[in-house]
Amino acid sequence: MKTIGHLINGTAKADAGRSQDVYNPSTGAVEKQVLLASKATVEEAIAAAQAAFPAWRNTPAQKRARIMFRFKELLEANADEICRLIGEEHGKISHDAMGELSRGIENVEYACGAPELLKGEHSRNVGPAIDSWSEFQPLGVVAGITPFNFPAMVPLWMYPMAIACGNTFVLKPSERDPSSTLFIAELLMEAGLPAGVLNVVNGDKEAVDTLLQDPRVQAVSFVGSTPIAEYIYTQASANGKRCQALGGAKNHAIVMPDADMDNAVSALTGAAFGSSGERCMALSVAVAVGDEAADALVSKMKAQMQSLKVGAFSDSSNDFGPVITRQHQEKVVGFINSAQEQGAEIVVDGRSPSVSGYENGFFVGGTLIDRVTPEMTCYQEEIFGPVLLVVRVDTMQQAMDLIDDHEYGNGTCIFTRDGEAARYFSDNILVGMVGINVPLPVPVAYHSFGGWKRSLFGDLHAYGPDAVRFYTRRKTITQRWPSAGVREGAQFAFPS
Amino acid sequence: MKTIGHLINGTAKADAGRSQDVYNPSTGAVEKQVLLASKATVEEAIAAAQAAFPAWRNTPAQKRARIMFRFKELLEANADEICRLIGEEHGKISHDAMGELSRGIENVEYACGAPELLKGEHSRNVGPAIDSWSEFQPLGVVAGITPFNFPAMVPLWMYPMAIACGNTFVLKPSERDPSSTLFIAELLMEAGLPAGVLNVVNGDKEAVDTLLQDPRVQAVSFVGSTPIAEYIYTQASANGKRCQALGGAKNHAIVMPDADMDNAVSALTGAAFGSSGERCMALSVAVAVGDEAADALVSKMKAQMQSLKVGAFSDSSNDFGPVITRQHQEKVVGFINSAQEQGAEIVVDGRSPSVSGYENGFFVGGTLIDRVTPEMTCYQEEIFGPVLLVVRVDTMQQAMDLIDDHEYGNGTCIFTRDGEAARYFSDNILVGMVGINVPLPVPVAYHSFGGWKRSLFGDLHAYGPDAVRFYTRRKTITQRWPSAGVREGAQFAFPS
Amino acid sequence: MKTIGHLINGTAKADAGRSQDVYNPSTGAVEKQVLLASKATVEEAIAAAQAAFPAWRNTPAQKRARIMFRFKELLEANADEICRLIGEEHGKISHDAMGELSRGIENVEYACGAPELLKGEHSRNVGPAIDSWSEFQPLGVVAGITPFNFPAMVPLWMYPMAIACGNTFVLKPSERDPSSTLFIAELLMEAGLPAGVLNVVNGDKEAVDTLLQDPRVQAVSFVGSTPIAEYIYTQASANGKRCQALGGAKNHAIVMPDADMDNAVSALTGAAFGSSGERCMALSVAVAVGDEAADALVSKMKAQMQSLKVGAFSDSSNDFGPVITRQHQEKVVGFINSAQEQGAEIVVDGRSPSVSGYENGFFVGGTLIDRVTPEMTCYQEEIFGPVLLVVRVDTMQQAMDLIDDHEYGNGTCIFTRDGEAARYFSDNILVGMVGINVPLPVPVAYHSFGGWKRSLFGDLHAYGPDAVRFYTRRKTITQRWPSAGVREGAQFAFPS
Amino acid sequence: MKTIGHLINGTAKADAGRSQDVYNPSTGAVEKQVLLASKATVEEAIAAAQAAFPAWRNTPAQKRARIMFRFKELLEANADEICRLIGEEHGKISHDAMGELSRGIENVEYACGAPELLKGEHSRNVGPAIDSWSEFQPLGVVAGITPFNFPAMVPLWMYPMAIACGNTFVLKPSERDPSSTLFIAELLMEAGLPAGVLNVVNGDKEAVDTLLQDPRVQAVSFVGSTPIAEYIYTQASANGKRCQALGGAKNHAIVMPDADMDNAVSALTGAAFGSSGERCMALSVAVAVGDEAADALVSKMKAQMQSLKVGAFSDSSNDFGPVITRQHQEKVVGFINSAQEQGAEIVVDGRSPSVSGYENGFFVGGTLIDRVTPEMTCYQEEIFGPVLLVVRVDTMQQAMDLIDDHEYGNGTCIFTRDGEAARYFSDNILVGMVGINVPLPVPVAYHSFGGWKRSLFGDLHAYGPDAVRFYTRRKTITQRWPSAGVREGAQFAFPS
């Protein structure tokens, strides 16, 4: 059985100690073991990053960026292998894994622009013959802690920019699907990154707590569930670190009566069931304004869902694959059960999908639940499965209140053709990422990703321009030269 | 005896309950009482701010900015009265108070540029016929907690920009010298600010904790000592708020052998003793490189200090006034005593200044201490008094190590004429604000203020461009329009 | 009879030589004479500006900006007098003059942000220990040549920012209504501007040509008609100057079948007839998509126009006043005649308005002409009078082709409620300033003003961020320090 | 004999008609012929570019940028072949050609950041519920006209960014060394650029004039000599195009008495003789402040120049190669002769270099001329050969006056270690690109390149951020939605 270790100071590292099973969710089989780093191992990684910092910080930004250019080439050349590794451990179908990887590569492309992005602000004559400028200097060692659902993309949100800014990095990826993450990190070493600039440690809470407590770690980026995000943010802050911690979501789409309904249904299908709904930007609630819209939506969704195909990652004709674990599968089914018990209507039921040949896989089929109300458990919690809830309201304002009353504020969307509705919605809704006829309004890599309310803790969003600010520290220099000796009598004033 | 209350929802508010003496430090007399807001009073202020938010948020930025234009006029017209109030309660001489106020007004001027500063980022065609843009929207209710040493300036670092960005504000100023702060807030109401947009509550820990715990408060800005800054940051963060907390300092100036020594001495005198050294940017340590430079520095400083004049705030010929309280006076004297006991050389001794006619004032004279070493108490702690320490080292690198080893990293300065020394210093030193022949490198209002290490908790600095980011939240909108009906056959498609 | 002279080097200047009548268009009477500067007088102004440049350039931007803060106050305090002067010589009603002035003041407000706007770009480590930064330095003497139709606003588009950037300025306003321009310039002197930084010369082609030929003039900003703009641009360019020259317009509004027709009619009324249509952003052509929309538009416009009131500037209940000269009045009437002759339908005829008590004023009443076609003279030329043409088309694409085929591309607008139509229109139309349900899409002062096609010559637009670039020159500095002597052995290396 | 044609609409094109010899300057032999495009051929290229524009403009910026990523890879993979082609026709040694190519590739890297660089400015609520934003849209067909001395780099300054911004391009490279330019353009096609987006026409004045006159060409970028730059600028402007035209130079280095003389000599050697001085940034004048500095400089330069090696491009141990033509060789020698005749001192004489085996090559050896004065011909003209003049002055101010009095203002440099001298120089000198101890202060690709005075006509500099502005046109959109119908009563208001 294959053992997955760490990457520290440029070399593979396998420490003795604890380890954990890594499943193939499509088959339900355990095929690999991942080592769980001890405190000492994590500290070794931090020390390597600390040692690599001075030289890396002084490497011109353009040289740092050129390693990112080369990294992009290697990611593209190795895309199939990366997608295979993702599929094997996460269960994602290859087209979905490729989509994830593409989004990750976009972030590498953005990091290639570091020389431009790191420009400081220069002011001549802030006073008589006094100049002042602000530089954005790297922080030192920074850490990233990333979730299972995007093992390639989310790490690529973080370390390419952190490193391009001159920091060194310790990454703790999800222990459920670590292989693609590790493989990608090795590609960056191959691209020419000096040893110690990027380190990867696999692990669990012990590794996380070490990162949160070590005074050499200057900043922590996290993506995961809200309770953990809150823990990370509180701990990192109490230890004086800067922190951005992205948490959970419950993304609503408002379907207005004037919406292009075929377009909405097609968009919702991909956004609700893609990647088994295990996305923090998955659209999990459709709020239909008026029963007419609701009826049309439900009947068209039901029809469309007949052709949805769930199955093993290895068959690229599948629409989506298994969920991540047996426990998670049971949890998702439990939410559907609770909806039924609490009075909602199960329009399409995915609790017992038949995936022939993969009877032990962790599959849940696409599920559509109508007449959901805000009190129901399935509405209040993040399901993180291929389940779309339909809530019916009378007015757009009611739909917006529903969204604003939910604890999460990650993404949302409105389907309409009316400019005024779109503008009122996007202006006022308390959500960080807003789509207008765009079901998954994930910002492109040159904007930034972040929710509002309890979907994000911190003041700067992930990737894009905000990442440059998060991974650098402002230094402001004010300069004047007090004597005019050299200039006024140059040839006399100096010793020969 | 005059009682100082609160400003809530546009009107003066005097709640029953606890109060505290306000001293005139020049005379030592208690002349006023300040009310200490209860939890209920602070919550009333928060509620007023919350109620004022929706309308204020929707007021165009340019209209908000125009109130700042008018505010600037009123601040200038009332400058003398403001400086008198500062002097009476803080002890600052009028020229110093005017300097403080000018710096505050600069921040109001910067807030006048809000329409420009709030511009978001717009991208056409992030995908085919898909546009995306990021807006910087106000947060809601934000709070500021400010220190005694700059009762006019530090609040003006915060609320003009917070308010110009569309937020509403609750300010808790220092309870030691609240009058100028309150008077200035009233001027902003006079400038046309709607009721509830700015609220001022005087108080102590009860008020602070209420602000830290109330879920309606979205963000907290703090300036004060490091232990309190750390408390504020940890608590605010644990409650899910964004926070920037600025703490203490120990600002070193390196005096290089090639420095223009007369210029350095003149600069150090103002920077060490101005405002009795009660500035977080005060230069409190001179690090001389080489004994030759050290001897020249000490002898010239000693000569220059003969003419330093300490006295009551009301005599504008004084160079600086009393410290803030009797206890603080005793603490500063205690630091000088400890230096003497631990082997340093008291070159100029300000422990018993004679200020005729003001025998009960809290005065400490300008003090110069040579041959200080890093182990001494006076070196390790922030004195916050008119005391300049001289440390002697052999090389520039030793001087820099000294600075980097100190827990604070607020400001620093180098005196040299050499371009290379200046560049190496400013590039590498672990300090947020760096002066090159500039002893108080306080960034101008259009840059941002912030230290490194334990001088600042958070990722964005105070005022300037960073304040715009701190007081706004990014929202990213992605938009496409799915049907071409109107455009392609406009006159047929729509109902008559 | 009052004589209007020049403002040179801070003092009023009346040279002997040629002069010209200044009319009161409401009465038709000549009440003042304006002097027409000779080449020598213009050169005197240029010399004054040249002499004032070195000190002004070295004045910190913040100090320069503070004069703009004071200027804004004086403009507001003197608004009534300014509007009276505008009305007297231009004919504009006071509410319209006040609108113009407000837009001008917005530009002064924007110039108050010069310290932020002038920030350069700073890059640390473009190579090992090499830094590079770009500064935006002032040009020197720059000139502005402005039209009669906005004697207050258009000059305020130019010189506040040019001056705030550190340039000195020579303004040649329209000789038809010079008094408000001159009065405003005097207010800027009163605000504290040093002598010679702003100079105003009244004049005609001789003055213009002097400005275009003098090698001391670094840049020319022009607003006027297209033939003159083209002349200015060609001449200034041939003399090696940078130039931006804004010309004429023929602004079309598309009225879609789904438009809110009442809103469109109300918007069109103001945009077509306000200021007698003598605005480069006046909406002079309504393109109705489909006969249904066209019929509704024409009948509602006709009804609305019954209450339009044309009359003398001094009666603030009037909607608009006279045109600028007798000749221009005749020219506008000629265009209406030609439309009638060429087959268009005069729906509302303003050729013979009765303005009792002002029979000699240069009045033209609001005119609506339906069934205009592209071949007609009235369509091809800029009328610059209170005349709205209606063109009927079948599709939105035809409407857009019409706009794109016209030689001008200043402003345009679409009335619709459909997001997709609005987006397609604004993305593709070859016009620089686009309104969506906004009839006069004049950019706010913090964006920039400029047309496309033959409405603007040059690459940077007027006012806003582009003005900062137009009025400054980039200088890029690359710096390294070759020796580490001072730093490495400081105390030994330097002479004692 | 090989014939070099054009690249139009994605395919090689050889028109009948005129052609011209292409020399190998190292041997003096004619080895190729270049076709000179007729007006019709150029118009064909313009038409291809015009046809390709609509689709290219609508291609998302990120997709356009990805072609630049691929282009960079191909340039790196083909670097040796490119350098060989440059050497063969220009005479440059391979290390120098590689340097040129690297600088070109940096510009491609910068163009990869187009999605970030093209971001517009977005303002919410410029008025109540009114939003406004500015987009930077491509211009259409733009043209570039480039010089012989950097056949790879200068075209890469232009079209990668122009194309990444969404424009289509017609390039007219130098007819003296067209092969590398054409080969590089073919690599861009290979990288995936659609046909017609980049077109290359070889030619002479007929081709240039066609580009200047054709109304479909929206903008022209030029680099060459000042007389031609002036012609291009005047003509393009008179035809209503935007234009940036970069001309000649006479770059001075001030050598201060406190300079690190060994460093200065080493820097000057490379900067004066590299590429035979055929660079618009070559340092051709050293201004020594004080005779002591001058004597030291001249004697050290003379010593250093003993090891300078001139020879054929194919031997990479050579320091520099031949000049471009026999005529140019004679012209350079003529300048040296004139210096001698006018009283200067030829310290090192390169008029008769012996390059064994290449007796017919166009070689001039490194030449050092002392005691040059401003009246001499060799000082007033741009020599564009391996000749360094030494001018002696008494003070830094005299040195600066000399520089400011010269008609060119491209680059300059100061050698000093004094911060104040460096700052005074860089602030005040009337030159666009300033080096502090950096002899060739060519801005990195993420800043912009441009001289002052008669070294550049236009207002925006070449490449870097300015190029984005030059190759785009601002469009400002102002939007409001007039009715709240959909939002307020959505489900009732719309037809079912």
Side-chain angles (χ1 to χ4, degrees), chain D residues 18 37 172 175 203-212 231:
Chain D
R18 296 180 302 128
K172 199 224 72 71
E175 66 277 24
D204 54 8
K205 190 163 186 300
E206 180 174 343
V208 167
D209 285 343
T210 305
L211 291 171
L212 294 175
Y231 171 78

Side-chain angles (χ1 to χ4, degrees), chain C residues 246-318:
Chain C
L246 283 68
K250 192 79 175 182
N251 305 312
H252 297 59
I254 298 181
V255 181
M256 294 290 283
D258 74 329
D260 177 328
M261 199 59 76
D262 289 332
N263 174 68
V265 164
S266 161
L268 283 169
T269 304
F273 308 120
S275 205
S276 304
E278 292 174 322
R279 293 168 173 161
C280 66
M281 286 296 275
L283 263 185
S284 49
V285 186
V287 187
V289 177
D291 276 328
E292 208 161 347
D295 292 344
L297 175 70
V298 170
S299 89
K300 279 172 185 274
M301 277 301 302
K302 185 177 174 180
Q304 172 107 358
M305 286 173 69
Q306 303 313 313
S307 57
L308 265 188
K309 211 176 138 202
V310 59
F313 86 93
S314 47
D315 178 355
S316 69
S317 76
N318 286 326

Side-chain angles (χ1 to χ4, degrees), chain D residues 39-95:
Chain D
K39 184 164 195 256
T41 298
V42 176
E43 286 176 345
E44 189 186 332
I46 296 170
Q50 181 84 339
F53 178 61
W56 185 242
R57 168 201 190 280
N58 284 334
T59 303
Q62 201 162 30
K63 285 206 174 176
R64 298 191 306 241
R66 277 186 193 132
I67 293 173
M68 294 298 152
F69 274 99
R70 177 79 182 121
F71 186 33
K72 169 182 148 80
E73 294 175 36
L74 292 174
L75 287 169
E76 289 170 344
N78 291 277
D80 288 340
E81 172 65 2
I82 293 168
C83 291
R84 195 186 59 73
L85 288 170
I86 295 174
E88 214 167 81
E89 299 178 4
H90 174 280
K92 223 171 261 202
I93 314 304
S94 61
H95 50 75

Side-chain angles (χ1 to χ4, degrees), chain D residues 119-333:
Chain D
K119 280 180 180 170
E121 310 177 339
H122 184 274
S123 298
R124 191 175 64 90
N125 275 357
V126 299
I130 302 175
D131 301 330
S132 191
W133 68 93
S134 293
E135 302 183 354
F136 296 98
Q137 297 199 345
L139 305 172
V141 181
V142 301
I145 301 167
T146 55
F148 79 87
N149 59 333
F150 288 105
M153 181 182 77
V154 173
L156 291 175
W157 284 6
M158 298 176 181
Y159 66 75
M161 184 54 82
I163 286 172
C165 287
N167 300 285
T168 54
F169 206 92
V170 179
L171 174 67
K172 199 224 72 71
S174 169
E175 66 277 24
R176 300 228 183 94
D177 48 7
S179 293
S180 64
T181 317
L182 203 60
F183 179 66
I184 289 173
E186 286 160 359
L187 292 177
L188 180 51
M189 303 314 295
E190 185 184 335
L193 194 75
V197 176
L198 173 64
N199 306 276
V200 182
V201 288
N202 285 302
D204 54 8
K205 190 163 186 300
E206 180 174 343
V208 167
D209 285 343
T210 305
L211 291 171
L212 294 175
Q213 286 155 13
D214 194 294
R216 292 169 296 184
V217 174
Q218 301 293 318
V220 178
S221 294
F222 172 83
V223 174
S225 69
T226 286
I228 308 297
E230 198 163 20
Y231 171 78
I232 299 276
Y233 186 67
T234 301
Q235 292 299 310
S237 296
N239 290 322
K241 303 181 194 316
R242 61 172 68 187
C243 183
Q244 54 181 192
L246 282 68
K250 192 79 176 182
N251 304 313
H252 297 59
I254 299 182
V255 181
M256 293 291 282
D258 74 328
D260 177 329
M261 199 60 75
D262 289 333
N263 174 68
V265 163
S266 160
L268 282 168
T269 303
F273 308 120
S275 205
S276 305
E278 292 174 322
R279 291 169 175 161
C280 66
M281 287 297 275
L283 264 186
S284 49
V285 185
V287 187
V289 176
D291 276 328
E292 209 161 344
D295 291 345
L297 175 70
V298 170
S299 89
K300 279 172 184 276
M301 278 301 302
K302 186 177 173 180
Q304 171 107 359
M305 288 172 68
Q306 302 314 313
S307 57
L308 264 188
K309 211 177 139 201
V310 58
F313 88 93
S314 48
D315 177 354
S316 69
S317 75
N318 287 325
D319 290 304
F320 60 95
V323 298
I324 187 70
T325 57
R326 176 72 62 204
Q327 298 90 309
H328 190 53
Q329 181 195 31
E330 289 162 1
K331 194 172 156 195
V332 172
V333 168

Side-chain angles (χ1 to χ4, degrees), chain B residues 168-252:
Chain B
T168 56
F169 206 93
V170 180
L171 174 68
K172 199 221 77 69
S174 169
E175 65 277 24
R176 300 225 184 97
D177 48 7
S179 294
S180 64
T181 318
L182 203 59
F183 179 66
I184 287 172
E186 287 160 358
L187 292 178
L188 181 51
M189 304 312 296
E190 187 184 333
L193 196 74
V197 176
L198 173 64
N199 306 275
V200 182
V201 289
N202 284 304
D204 55 7
K205 190 165 187 299
E206 181 174 341
V208 167
D209 285 343
T210 306
L211 291 171
L212 294 175
Q213 286 155 15
D214 195 292
R216 293 169 295 186
V217 174
Q218 301 292 319
V220 178
S221 293
F222 172 83
V223 174
S225 69
T226 287
I228 309 296
E230 198 163 20
Y231 171 79
I232 299 278
Y233 186 68
T234 302
Q235 292 299 310
S237 296
N239 290 321
K241 303 183 194 315
R242 62 172 67 185
C243 182
Q244 56 180 189
L246 283 67
K250 192 80 175 182
N251 304 313
H252 297 58

Side-chain angles (χ1 to χ4, degrees), chain B residues 123-197:
Chain B
S123 298
R124 191 175 66 89
N125 274 359
V126 300
I130 302 175
D131 300 329
S132 191
W133 67 96
S134 292
E135 301 183 355
F136 296 98
Q137 296 199 345
L139 306 171
V141 181
V142 302
I145 301 167
T146 56
F148 79 86
N149 60 333
F150 288 106
M153 182 182 76
V154 173
L156 291 175
W157 285 5
M158 298 176 181
Y159 67 74
M161 185 54 82
I163 286 173
C165 287
N167 301 284
T168 56
F169 206 93
V170 180
L171 174 68
K172 199 221 77 69
S174 169
E175 65 277 24
R176 300 225 184 97
D177 48 7
S179 294
S180 64
T181 318
L182 203 59
F183 179 66
I184 287 172
E186 287 160 358
L187 292 178
L188 181 51
M189 304 312 296
E190 187 184 333
L193 196 74
V197 176

Side-chain angles (χ1 to χ4, degrees), chain B residues 66 73 106 109-110 116 119 124-125 131 292 394 418 420 423-424 427 446 483 487 491 496, chain C residues 66 73 109-110 116 119 124-125 131 292 394 420 423-424 427 446 483 486-487 491 496:
Chain B
R66 279 190 190 129
E73 294 176 35
E106 281 178 30
E109 289 171 357
Y110 192 67
E116 174 71 18
K119 279 181 182 169
R124 191 175 66 89
N125 274 359
D131 300 329
E292 209 163 343
D394 288 333
D418 186 85
E420 199 274 338
R423 197 271 178 191
Y424 181 81
D427 181 20
Y446 44 103
S483 81
R487 174 159 61 88
Q491 75 277 35
S496 56
Chain C
R66 278 189 192 130
E73 294 176 37
E109 291 172 358
Y110 192 66
E116 174 71 18
K119 280 180 180 170
R124 191 175 65 88
N125 275 358
D131 301 330
E292 208 161 347
D394 288 333
E420 199 273 338
R423 198 271 179 193
Y424 181 82
D427 181 21
Y446 44 104
S483 80
V486 167
R487 174 160 62 87
Q491 76 278 35
S496 57

